[in-house]
Amino acid sequence: MTPRTSPEVGGMGHSMRRKEDPRFIRGKGTYVDDVELPGMLWLDIVRSPYAHAKIVRIDTAKALATPGVLAVITGKDLEKYNLHWMPTLMSDTQMVLPVDKVMYQAQEVAAVLATSRYAAADGAAAVSVDYDPLPVVVDPKKALAPGAPVLRTDKKDKKDNHIWHWEWGDRNATDRAFDGAEVTVKQDIYIPRIHVSSIETCGCVAYFDKVNDKLTVWMTTQAPHAIRTVFALVAGHVGLEEHKIRIISPDIGGGFGGKVPVYPGYVIAVAASVLTGKPVKWIEDRMENLQADSFARDYHITAELAAKKDGTLTALRIKTLADHGYTDAAANPSKFPAGLFHVCTGSYDLKAAHVEVDGVYTNKPPGGIAYRCSFRVTEAVHTIERMVDLMAHQLGQDPAELRMKNFVKPEQFPYKSALGWEYDSGNYGGALQKAMEQIGYAQLRREQVEKRQRGQLMGIGISSFTEIVGAGPSKHFDILGLKMFDSCEIRVHPTGKAIARFGTKSQGQGHETTYAQILAEELGIPAKDIQIEEGDTDTAPYGLGTYASRSTPVAGAAAAVAAGKVRDKARKLAAHMLEVAEEDLVWEPGKFSVKGAPSKSKTIQECAFAAYTNHPQGMEAGLEAVSYYDPPNLTYPFGSYICVVDIDTGTGEVKIRRFVAIDDCGNIINPMIVEGQVHGGLTMGLAPALYEEISYDENGNIQGGSFIDYLVPTAVETPKWEVGNTVTPSPHHPLGAKGVGESATVGAPAAIANAVVDALWHLGVRHVDIPITPAKVWKLLRDKGVTE
Ligand code: MCN
Ligand code: CUN
């Protein structure tokens, strides 16, 4: 797409350098931990060594005697204000601090308030807690078995560990399709628990100004407005009303979904500040972040796929156990307890599908956040892409051909999926074709045959994913009742420069640049002349925040709509100045000129000046607009990824030789930023495919609770990504754009897993669960007699 604007204006399609980077690369960003206030106190948290235990006694004497320690806060203290429990985003309840028992290892037990971080840490170490261990439940299947200890004894009538049952689709039609199927494949797939490990951990500085009765919280949150409302709803009864709460998300060092929930530390810091009237800082350390923050995935899936002998796919049936830890604190839209998992028919034209999910309590950290995935889409994509590959291999057909045969075709859009989604646009065959050409697919298949004859293990894996991003529409999407729209407010100053504020919040995605580019495109004001602000609830218009790749689909659309309103008013001003009718003006980015007399024109900057100095009588002064945009549909970005692996027959190590990623996110605002998003996303897809996993031993002890065991890939493990794109605009988005922030993380793991199984299929291997570690592969190779 050739840009409509010049590089100086920097509208859509320009690979403009990021406006935020000069401050970041000079170390001048302002993260929460950079906020220092006079008289600030520190909070540190005492955490449980047990996964399930009664709290017999908390002895605070030694801690209180530690120099610098001012107070130790326990659940009993919070209970006095009814703040010891808080609601989760899924309307479950979560302890802020426990009163009688702990539910997972590393859970908050007490908090120490001190004059320095060191004193707070010393104080936390000096708190002594007597525990009485209780039976631990880590396996969700055992959690549902009769006789399993009931974990949520706080819920009066709860007799088991089952949270909810949810199903979607036509069960009878699906069962009938399976009964009559010529071929079926069935597979258990476990998608392990992983934790976001953004560079910046979570934390806050809470300051309750007793003179003005105003609470200001600088916090690592992806959704500041929603947090303000939730705080007001939870703590209104102790005087924290919404106009007296200001949430500021300053610079954020990576969110990835982990900064959507409310963690107990935030609430305790706020309570401590309200009680003392002093600013209180709480910042997690690296291990607390990894061990106690909300987890992602942890889906135990059984999937079945049915097809005709010729490879026509017909039906999909899925049953899943969703391990939510001790409380369902998932960051999902309220209506969908399993997120958007029911986009699991993926890129394929299936006639029938049915999916069931059961939520289960276990003694693990709570959550169900999405780790760079629009609410369980990674789980959906991994399942369907593994199953389609399994079917292709079962039928002896080429996995690319089987996909091509079953893709939803371009002329079928808008396409209604068997599970009820309306896909906006797509060209799945086009993306796969391009990926195959770029990687040299046919040649690689020939090479694979030759290598196999020589006993070498090489595999080619494909993932042709469909994403679903940009929540709303508000008809179906809300969080705790808050409808999922988003917003943009623009003010154009007299000299033609502008400020625009949004209800979203960048965590590294480059919003200060790309939003300015959208406005430059729509108004012709150079992007460098437009300041973008997000994250301060006292100044930004209400919005639901940044996650689920919703910023471009929703707030980006709001920017286009608000800019349209500014342009409409500018047109009136231009008509007034040029003394012509509005209809006689033609617009090109940055300028109105008179039809047939192009030399007579007014720039947008001249219109802005006139808005304050020369507006017609009867018109309000000023040039500003706001839009609260409720999208008519989600956007469905897609792509095809192809991965080539070589497996070391001696060690079982999987080496990614090549990885081609073709993405389609509709019209692109900034090609360089999109490429950066895809690079980062692919690396975060590689991570769970080969390295990252958090598991628990039978006593609920975390395995993978530090970076010694939790293997975040570095530049050394990361292959050279070969990226490209196709462009299929969204028909309903004002700019034709779709989201892209999560696509690569969603699509990549299946390509890698499929490549590994493709390399091992002839040995009788049908499936390997991620992360595909050398140990797992080596054991398979040993069992199949390839190595000893
Ligand atoms: N973009 C574009 N053209 C498009 C689509 C997007 O130029 N057609 C640009 C956008 O303007 C924006 C970026 O790409 O600058 C990502 O846009 P979008 O897909 O709308 O996603 P969001 O801005 O809503 O970001 C959220 C998404 C999510 S949910 C996770 S998780 C994630 C991700 O972004 N977390 C990130 N990328 C991340 N990147 C960084 N550096 N840090 C994170 O925490
Ligand atoms: Cu899905 S993790 Mo992102 O939505 O912040």
Side-chain angles (χ1 to χ4, degrees):
M1 203 179 70
T2 27
R4 232 168 33 122
T5 56
S6 67
E8 290 70 41
V9 171
M12 279 177 70
H14 290 291
S15 283
M16 200 180 131
R17 288 201 183 170
R18 303 202 326 166
K19 291 174 65 165
E20 43 271 85
D21 283 348
R23 87 170 174 276
F24 290 144
I25 58 183
R26 286 178 229 181
K28 296 291 181 195
T30 305
Y31 298 90
V32 169
D33 202 17
D34 294 318
V35 175
E36 299 276 347
L37 299 178
M40 192 171 78
L41 304 178
W42 279 88
L43 197 75
D44 202 2
I45 290 177
V46 179
R47 292 181 182 273
S48 170
Y50 291 98
H52 196 198
K54 274 212 171 82
I55 297 174
V56 181
R57 202 170 68 102
I58 301 179
D59 184 350
T60 60
K62 247 176 89 187
L64 287 170
T66 306
V69 170
L70 304 173
V72 179
I73 303 164
T74 64
K76 293 222 162 82
D77 298 322
L78 296 181
E79 194 179 16
K80 289 178 211 147
Y81 305 94
N82 199 26
L83 288 175
H84 55 312
W85 285 87
M86 61 180 183
T88 70
L89 294 177
M90 287 311 281
S91 301
D92 202 336
T93 50
Q94 176 172 2
M95 294 177 211
V96 178
L97 285 174
V99 171
D100 51 4
K101 66 170 184 169
V102 288
M103 299 292 269
Y104 69 92
Q105 190 183 54
Q107 187 184 336
E108 300 79 3
V109 176
V112 175
L113 193 62
T115 50
S116 74
R117 175 153 209 179
Y118 295 100
D122 287 347
V127 172
S128 119
V129 186
D130 290 343
Y131 297 95
D132 197 356
L134 293 165
V136 174
V137 181
V138 284
D139 179 342
K141 292 186 186 104
K142 288 187 187 155
L144 291 184
V150 178
L151 299 183
R152 292 300 298 270
T153 45
D154 58 290
K155 295 184 186 244
K156 286 217 169 47
D157 300 320
K158 195 93 194 106
K159 298 275 184 300
D160 57 25
N161 298 311
H162 185 248
I163 314 176
W164 41 255
H165 173 83
W166 180 81
E167 58 180 87
W168 205 264
D170 189 334
R171 182 194 288 270
N172 291 334
T174 307
D175 289 349
R176 273 198 309 276
F178 272 91
D179 291 344
E182 292 173 4
V183 197
T184 60
V185 285
K186 183 172 184 176
Q187 184 62 50
D188 288 338
I189 299 172
Y190 177 53
I191 303 184
R193 192 172 261 252
I194 51 178
H195 276 211
V196 167
S197 44
S198 46
I199 291 177
E200 180 202 30
T201 61
C202 291
C204 70
V205 175
Y207 177 40
F208 183 68
D209 172 351
K210 283 197 170 177
V211 174
N212 297 302
D213 272 347
K214 177 125 183 180
L215 173 72
T216 305
V217 192
W218 290 260
M219 74 190 265
T220 46
T221 177
Q222 299 177 224
H225 281 99
I227 295 285
R228 185 187 71 190
T229 304
V230 172
F231 272 22
L233 291 173
V234 174
H237 68 286
V238 292
L240 290 178
E241 290 168 286
E242 200 161 7
H243 64 306
K244 294 288 189 187
I245 302 173
R246 178 182 186 185
I247 306 292
I248 300 174
S249 287
D251 287 327
I252 294 191
F256 308 112
K259 289 171 180 164
V260 173
V262 175
Y263 295 119
Y266 299 132
V267 180
I268 305 168
V270 168
S273 182
V274 170
L275 289 175
T276 60
K278 302 245 184 194
V280 175
K281 183 184 273 191
W282 165 69
I283 305 282
E284 282 173 346
D285 69 21
R286 182 49 66 190
M287 278 162 71
E288 293 179 291
N289 176 268
L290 207 49
Q291 295 177 7
D293 283 4
S294 281
F295 72 93
R297 323 279 195 255
D298 216 342
Y299 260 32
H300 298 255
I301 297 163
T302 302
E304 296 167 89
L305 186 62
K308 294 185 191 159
K309 279 200 197 103
D310 70 356
T312 306
L313 303 175
T314 53
L316 176 70
R317 191 159 59 191
I318 295 180
K319 283 193 167 71
T320 292
L321 280 189
D323 184 340
H324 276 281
Y326 95 86
T327 175
D328 183 0
N332 285 329
S334 309
K335 194 172 165 182
F336 305 111
L340 309 187
F341 188 52
H342 49 310
V343 71
C344 54
T345 56
S347 308
Y348 310 99
D349 188 14
L350 295 176
K351 295 293 173 256
H354 186 252
V355 37
E356 285 177 82
V357 186
D358 287 277
V360 187
Y361 289 130
T362 58
N363 287 115
K364 295 178 199 168
I369 57 133
Y371 187 128
R372 212 165 185 175
C373 132
S374 185
F375 317 121
R376 304 289 186 190
V377 178
T378 312
E379 288 88 327
V381 164
H382 197 74
T383 306
I384 186 70
E385 287 305 308
R386 277 295 302 125
M387 294 310 287
V388 167
D389 237 63
L390 198 59
M391 180 61 85
H393 281 91
Q394 188 69 39
L395 290 168
Q397 290 192 13
D398 184 279
E401 260 169 50
L402 187 96
R403 282 180 170 80
M404 288 290 192
K405 184 184 176 80
N406 289 285
F407 278 151
V408 177
K409 304 289 178 295
E411 60 276 12
Q412 286 176 278
F413 292 93
Y415 169 79
K416 188 86 182 243
S417 81
L419 291 171
W421 298 108
E422 191 178 296
Y423 295 12
D424 58 347
S425 63
N427 180 359
Y428 303 148
L432 179 53
Q433 190 61 43
K434 188 164 176 179
M436 288 168 74
E437 281 161 19
Q438 194 165 324
I439 207 159
Y441 186 79
Q443 174 61 31
L444 285 167
R445 283 287 174 210
R446 286 193 290 273
E447 184 192 337
Q448 183 184 29
V449 174
E450 287 161 24
K451 286 230 159 108
R452 204 166 275 170
Q453 282 160 0
R454 282 184 267 131
Q456 291 171 338
L457 299 175
M458 164 189 168
I460 305 161
I462 302 174
S463 169
S464 292
F465 66 93
T466 289
E467 258 247 283
I468 171 170
V469 305
S474 69
K475 192 164 63 162
H476 300 299
F477 289 83
D478 71 81
I479 284 189
L480 288 174
L482 297 169
K483 299 286 191 188
M484 296 181 78
F485 56 86
D486 229 289
S487 61
C488 165
E489 181 200 85
I490 313 170
R491 290 184 197 167
V492 187
H493 309 315
T495 55
K497 319 289 174 183
I499 183 165
R501 296 190 169 106
F502 292 79
T504 50
K505 175 61 211 172
S506 187
Q507 309 126 38
Q509 293 90 341
H511 290 178
E512 285 167 53
T513 309
T514 46
Y515 283 149
Q517 288 187 267
I518 292 175
L519 296 172
E521 175 80 9
E522 295 297 301
L523 293 174
I525 299 176
K528 69 169 177 35
D529 291 348
I530 306 172
Q531 184 187 341
I532 302 296
E533 279 185 17
E534 300 175 290
D536 182 340
T537 57
D538 265 9
T539 55
Y542 205 102
L544 270 282
T546 289
Y547 40 85
S549 302
R550 63 189 295 280
S551 302
T552 305
V554 192
V561 173
K565 295 182 189 177
V566 167
R567 211 171 46 224
D568 288 347
K569 183 160 182 188
R571 176 185 289 270
K572 290 191 168 56
L573 289 156
H576 169 67
M577 288 186 285
L578 292 164
E579 298 181 332
V580 295
E582 279 180 56
E583 303 74 54
D584 292 333
L585 291 174
V586 261
W587 167 257
E588 65 188 277
K591 188 161 84 178
F592 290 102
S593 41
V594 177
K595 242 182 244 168
S599 62
K600 285 181 71 185
S601 65
K602 289 288 170 193
T603 63
I604 184 81
Q605 289 81 3
E606 289 171 302
C607 296
F609 200 64
Y612 298 86
T613 61
N614 176 26
H615 55 289
Q617 284 305 307
M619 179 193 276
E620 284 183 15
L623 190 56
E624 54 185 73
V626 57
S627 163
Y628 290 85
Y629 186 82
D630 186 357
N633 191 3
L634 294 125
T635 67
Y636 294 77
F638 59 92
S640 268
Y641 295 170
I642 307 183
C643 170
V644 185
V645 300
D646 298 298
I647 295 178
D648 188 315
T649 46
T651 64
E653 190 191 353
V654 173
K655 291 195 186 116
I656 298 180
R657 190 201 312 173
R658 288 188 65 194
F659 196 108
V660 166
I662 302 299
D663 271 277
D664 193 319
C665 58
N667 291 334
I668 290 175
I669 298 152
N670 184 321
M672 180 191 70
I673 286 184
V674 166
E675 194 179 320
Q677 287 291 306
V678 172
H679 274 238
L682 288 171
T683 307
M684 283 183 98
L686 165 72
L690 297 187
Y691 305 108
E692 292 178 0
E693 173 168 24
I694 297 239
S695 59
Y696 291 83
D697 73 10
E698 57 194 18
N699 295 317
N701 296 309
I702 189 168
Q703 320 286 300
S706 84
F707 281 168
I708 292 174
D709 308 300
Y710 193 73
L711 305 177
V712 177
T714 67
V716 176
E717 291 82 21
T718 305
K720 184 177 177 303
W721 307 117
E722 302 171 55
V723 304
N725 59 273
T726 55
V727 176
T728 312
S730 167
H732 64 79
H733 187 279
L735 305 163
K738 303 181 179 186
V740 76
E742 299 157 304
S743 293
T745 306
V746 168
I752 297 169
N754 285 343
V756 172
V757 176
D758 186 60
L760 303 175
W761 182 272
H762 64 289
L763 302 172
V765 174
R766 295 292 168 263
H767 178 74
V768 190
D769 275 329
I770 58 171
I772 304 173
T773 59
K776 264 186 208 170
V777 178
W778 180 83
K779 278 194 195 107
L780 285 170
L781 294 176
R782 186 198 53 191
D783 292 349
K784 306 294 178 189
V786 176
T787 190
E788 49 186 50

